[in-house]
Amino acid sequence: MVAVVLIGAMLAGASLVRAQDRVQVGLPDLSALSRAEAESLTRDLAQADVVSANCPAYAISNGEWALLNGTGNQLAALLGLDPAAFERTFYGPAFDLLDDPATCDRLGPSVHPLIQRLVEMGGATKP
């Protein structure tokens, strides 16, 4: 399994992220999250990112990708994780889920509700 994970060094307070140099979207306010909530959201986000990239029925737009990945970068900074620790702790387990053929059907339906949650927290999927 080949995994390409783009993890930037975005500061937790940043408000915009660029996807493939085409889309900039606003990012949610994560300041009220406890560490446990941030870890849980990061786990959900990594799973949604992996599922949306590897399960064609659950593909997302560039703006949605920018929101997921930008929020992931914010969370990594908030949790004090360097890119290697972020990938090892959250993306490795998310990619491992793809070993189960039922993963797309099980987790795919949660991708868009997670994106909507991030929008409700102040994020956006459109510039």
Side-chain angles (χ1 to χ4, degrees):
M1 167 175 26
V2 175
V4 177
V5 179
L6 301 174
I7 301 173
M10 180 175 291
L11 297 174
S15 63
L16 296 176
V17 68
R18 185 182 305 268
Q20 300 171 1
D21 290 329
R22 294 183 286 168
V23 179
Q24 288 186 355
V25 299
L27 297 176
D29 178 7
L30 306 176
S31 62
L33 295 179
S34 69
R35 182 166 186 89
E37 290 169 328
E39 289 173 352
S40 177
L41 180 58
T42 306
R43 198 170 4 271
D44 292 345
L45 219 145
Q47 290 175 3
D49 189 16
V50 168
V51 166
S52 66
N54 291 282
C55 303
Y58 301 101
I60 58 176
S61 71
N62 283 342
E64 292 166 330
W65 179 88
L67 178 60
L68 285 180
N69 282 276
T71 304
N73 291 340
Q74 281 185 305
L75 287 162
L78 186 68
L79 295 169
L81 299 173
D82 63 42
F86 184 61
E87 183 174 345
R88 183 179 55 253
T89 304
F90 294 101
Y91 274 88
F95 277 105
D96 288 345
L97 294 171
L98 293 176
D99 292 337
D100 178 357
T103 293
C104 290
D105 292 334
R106 186 170 50 84
L107 295 179
S110 66
V111 171
H112 279 86
L114 175 60
I115 291 168
Q116 184 56 42
R117 178 179 170 204
L118 297 176
V119 168
E120 290 168 4
M121 294 170 68
T125 59
K126 297 187 186 324

